[in-house]
Amino acid sequence: MKKTILLFCILWAVNFASAQEDINITKYQDSRLKEAVPSYALSKVEKLISKLKQSSESLNQDTKNDISKLSDKDFEKLSVKEKFTYTMLYPESVSKNNLNIPAISDEENKIFGYLPDFKSNKKWSDRQISFLTSNKKEVIALIKESCLKDKFIGLNYKKALVKVKAIEAIPFLIDFYKYKDSKDKDILTALSLIVKDGRYFHYIRANIYKDLYGNDDKPVEESYIDDTASNEEYILKTASNFYIQYPKNKM
């Protein structure tokens, strides 16, 4: 009887520990996928999006992968701030190769080479990407203002900064990571991607770069390094050096 009770206790403890680990993994994954909500013309944009979602839900089964979106005429009528909020909250295209990250043990102690895709399995349309890149200065300014207000950098903001190759935002990202949210390792990922896209010679030849991006056969969700103090410091210092050395007239 005592042996049975002891065995039961051991099994319960093992299952409880396993369940607790799964909860922790899910919690951190959810934090990685959390998106920011811009406040600019939010009420107006939310009403537009609500109508579009209702229209999408009424599509035929054969067109279930289609997404209702504003006409080009209505899209162009929006101000820069309205387009920004609309783009951050409502990606207009479906992602065919969504990066569904599997559960990874000790995920919060890793620095990933890539940002995950949106949880909604969506991606920005060509016109939304064109808006972001052609209004790069304004987009960066709005992201900075919003992040400082909310003390949070959502996945959509990180992806936007990477998409527009926001070298100008490197000092902001470094400061935000150091003094506001050092638990958000995807800020380091965003910095790494901006430096990578800038083809910074000193980074490309580094071992960390090879570990993150040097194996084309490795699935992108498995491209990560351990979050050690030395790895963090290297990414932060490399990004800072890249910003300092990059010609300002090219930004």
Side-chain angles (χ1 to χ4, degrees), residues 11 17 28 32 34 44-45 66 72 88 90 109 116 137 139-140 184 210 233 237 242:
L11 291 174
Y28 186 72
R32 294 188 69 205
K34 188 176 180 180
K44 175 181 177 179
V45 173
D66 290 341
D72 288 338
M88 291 300 103
Y90 194 74
N109 293 315
K137 184 176 180 180
V139 166
I140 293 175
D184 186 355
K210 294 175 183 177
E233 182 60 28
K237 185 176 180 180
F242 174 59

Side-chain angles (χ1 to χ4, degrees), residues 7-179:
L7 179 60
F8 174 80
C9 291
I10 292 174
L11 291 174
W12 179 88
V14 170
N15 289 332
F16 178 81
S18 178
Q20 196 65 34
E21 182 179 2
D22 290 341
I23 291 172
N24 291 338
I25 290 174
T26 302
K27 185 177 180 181
Y28 186 72
Q29 279 195 347
D30 287 344
S31 71
R32 294 188 69 205
L33 296 173
K34 188 176 180 180
E35 299 173 29
V37 178
S39 60
Y40 314 106
L42 181 58
S43 178
K44 175 181 177 179
V45 173
E46 284 183 330
K47 290 178 182 178
L48 292 174
I49 292 175
S50 177
K51 291 180 180 179
L52 292 172
K53 286 183 176 179
Q54 290 175 9
S55 179
S56 292
E57 291 172 356
S58 66
L59 291 172
N60 295 328
Q61 184 69 19
D62 293 338
T63 58
K64 63 182 179 180
N65 288 329
D66 290 341
I67 299 175
S68 295
K69 58 185 180 181
L70 293 175
S71 66
D72 288 338
K73 182 178 180 181
D74 288 338
F75 183 75
E76 290 307 318
K77 285 182 179 179
L78 299 178
S79 67
V80 170
K81 288 186 176 181
E82 290 168 347
K83 286 180 182 176
F84 174 75
T85 299
Y86 173 79
T87 298
M88 291 300 103
L89 298 183
Y90 194 74
E92 294 179 327
S93 296
V94 176
S95 177
K96 296 180 180 179
N97 298 305
N98 192 47
L99 177 53
N100 291 314
I101 300 177
I104 299 175
S105 179
D106 205 29
E107 184 176 6
E108 67 275 14
N109 293 315
K110 291 178 170 58
I111 302 170
F112 288 86
Y114 298 92
L115 296 169
D117 280 347
F118 295 126
K119 185 162 49 176
S120 59
N121 199 34
K122 303 296 191 299
K123 65 178 183 178
W124 289 315
S125 64
D126 289 341
R127 73 174 180 183
Q128 288 179 315
I129 293 174
S130 177
F131 158 71
L132 292 173
T133 55
S134 61
N135 295 274
K136 178 179 179 179
K137 184 176 180 180
E138 293 88 345
V139 166
I140 293 175
L142 292 173
I143 289 176
K144 286 182 179 180
E145 183 178 58
S146 183
C147 290
L148 291 174
K149 176 184 175 182
D150 299 333
K151 297 180 176 58
F152 168 68
I153 301 181
L155 174 61
N156 45 354
Y157 285 177
K158 298 184 195 103
K159 291 176 80 70
L161 292 175
V162 172
K163 182 65 69 175
V164 303
K165 305 182 189 300
I167 299 171
E168 305 94 315
I170 285 176
F172 168 76
L173 287 171
I174 292 174
D175 286 346
F176 199 95
Y177 180 77
K178 285 184 175 181
Y179 305 115

